[in-house]
Amino acid sequence: MGSMKMLMSLIEASLQPTPTVFTIGIIIVFLFPFLLHYLVTRSTSYSTLPAVLLLGPSGSGKTALTTLFERGPYLSSSESEKPSLQDAVPATHTSQTPQTIELSISTDDTSTTSYKTDLDALGAPHKKFLLIDTPGHAKLRNAALSRLIDSKYSLNPSTTSKSTTTDNNKLKAVIFLVDAAGLSEDTSGSDTSLASTASYLYDALLTLQKRATSAKGSKAPPSIPVLIAANKLDLFTALPAALVKSNLEAELGRIRAARSKGLLDSGVGVDDDLAGGGGDEESEWLGEYGSEKFSFKQLMEFDIEVDVIGGNIVGDGPGADKWWRWIAEKI
């Protein structure tokens, strides 16, 4: 009975318009939302999205490929399909800043998956991932390459939400787009020439190799496969994928030899070489150290798998389905 009277007294006191009651009420009103937000965010587990990094020289078709993969289900005969290659892909221009888009890919049957299918409309099982399109201009390539080792990427530079970020463990694959038609022509000085394209590719592969060899501790970093996408096979002058591969391997071998000679001529790393350490020359050597010829198979030593697959974004040809299925297998 006494406890009941005490409870009634407390209730009556809390209903009295006194300064103490007002103060406590204001504190509760303002602090409760913050406390609730803290408890909810603390108990919520955020998932990071896997990412695919798109590299390549200017003019290779990176932005056009990003646009093709991103386009929604319109201007087609079926509501469940995105536009085909016969539909006009909007004209693009040289990118100045990176662009990140969120895409969905089938998890049901990766052997038949297509970028043309609207998985959300069909209600099919799918997985989301980020495609990061980077500028290909020579002056902006260092920023693109740094993304191979940076700890975090964001869907939007101003976004800080954990749900839209991915760390380097979530970087699942790299696509290096090349102009297969530009490689076959005398385009000296052009970004799409064989020499310029191979130089950029050399830097990208060497960055991945250094990432694998500079890991601290016994646990190696997750492997990042590379797809060299030979674009523009719809053009008569384009080289087939097999010839793109052999030409790039030969050019990468020449670049490797030239850079090694440049280091030796400058005297950099000579003392280390005499001591048997290899020095800077070995750290800048792509693939099997000391080998006469370069091949992409040498990168398997560093757990870097390289595939060369042909395709095209516009016009008649094999299309981009093989590239899309490659992404599905890697993420």
Side-chain angles (χ1 to χ4, degrees):
M1 195 69 175
S3 59
M4 184 61 71
K5 287 184 178 181
M6 184 179 296
L7 180 60
M8 293 298 294
S9 299
L10 290 175
I11 294 175
E12 290 177 0
S14 64
L15 297 176
Q16 298 297 322
T18 62
T20 303
V21 172
F22 277 117
T23 303
I24 295 175
I26 291 173
I27 292 175
I28 292 175
V29 168
F30 280 97
L31 289 184
F32 180 75
F34 291 101
L35 179 61
L36 183 62
H37 175 74
Y38 173 77
L39 293 175
V40 171
T41 55
R42 186 178 178 85
S43 61
T44 302
S45 58
Y46 291 94
S47 60
T48 54
L49 294 177
V52 176
L53 190 63
L54 187 56
L55 303 176
S58 295
S60 59
K62 298 187 304 300
T63 304
L65 181 63
T66 302
T67 303
L68 181 65
F69 284 165
E70 186 184 24
R71 293 178 70 178
Y74 57 91
L75 297 179
S76 62
S77 58
S78 172
E79 293 182 357
S80 63
E81 291 188 357
K82 294 184 180 181
S84 64
L85 289 173
Q86 283 69 34
D87 296 314
V89 175
T92 60
H93 54 81
T94 302
S95 301
Q96 299 288 328
T97 58
Q99 177 189 6
T100 303
I101 61 172
E102 184 178 300
L103 299 172
S104 298
I105 201 160
S106 174
T107 57
D108 191 17
D109 187 358
T110 58
S111 63
T112 59
T113 183
S114 172
Y115 63 90
K116 302 174 187 177
T117 304
D118 185 6
L119 299 172
D120 289 325
L122 293 177
H126 61 275
K127 182 177 185 179
K128 293 186 180 297
F129 72 97
L130 302 180
L131 181 64
I132 308 172
D133 174 23
T134 60
H137 193 277
K139 294 182 179 179
L140 302 174
R141 290 176 184 176
N142 286 336
L145 292 175
S146 68
R147 289 177 167 264
L148 294 173
I149 52 178
D150 277 353
S151 60
K152 289 186 178 180
Y153 307 127
S154 176
L155 188 63
N156 186 308
S158 62
T159 300
T160 57
S161 171
K162 295 181 181 178
S163 61
T164 57
T165 61
T166 177
D167 56 31
N168 54 4
N169 291 331
K170 286 295 184 178
L171 181 58
K172 295 298 185 181
V174 172
I175 298 178
F176 192 94
L177 206 64
V178 302
D179 181 353
L183 296 182
S184 66
E185 300 173 351
D186 183 14
T187 54
S188 302
S190 170
D191 282 345
T192 58
S193 67
L194 177 60
S196 178
T197 299
S199 178
Y200 188 9
L201 179 60
Y202 190 100
D203 291 335
L205 294 176
L206 186 61
T207 301
L208 289 175
Q209 179 176 303
K210 289 181 177 179
R211 172 183 175 272
T213 56
S214 63
K216 297 180 180 179
S218 58
K219 186 177 181 181
S223 62
I224 299 179
V226 177
L227 168 64
I228 298 176
N231 188 26
K232 303 185 182 181
L233 292 192
D234 56 303
L235 301 180
F236 179 75
T237 56
L239 299 177
L243 201 52
V244 168
K245 179 181 178 181
S246 60
N247 283 5
L248 284 175
E249 286 179 330
E251 187 64 25
L252 289 171
R254 284 191 285 269
I255 293 173
R256 185 173 69 177
R259 293 190 182 185
S260 176
K261 184 177 184 302
L263 287 172
L264 291 176
D265 289 345
S266 65
V268 176
V270 173
D271 293 337
D272 291 328
D273 288 336
L274 293 175
D280 289 337
E281 182 189 2
E282 184 172 357
S283 66
E284 298 299 320
W285 185 279
L286 183 65
E288 181 185 352
Y289 183 64
S291 58
E292 182 178 353
K293 293 184 178 181
F294 171 81
S295 70
F296 291 123
K297 290 183 179 180
Q298 295 177 7
L299 296 177
M300 290 299 296
E301 177 185 347
F302 307 97
D303 202 18
I304 302 173
E305 178 186 357
V306 180
D307 295 307
V308 183
I309 301 176
N312 59 293
I313 299 170
V314 297
D316 296 325
D321 280 311
K322 290 183 178 179
W323 300 339
W324 185 258
R325 287 194 287 269
W326 184 90
I327 294 174
E329 292 174 359
K330 302 307 178 184
I331 66 170

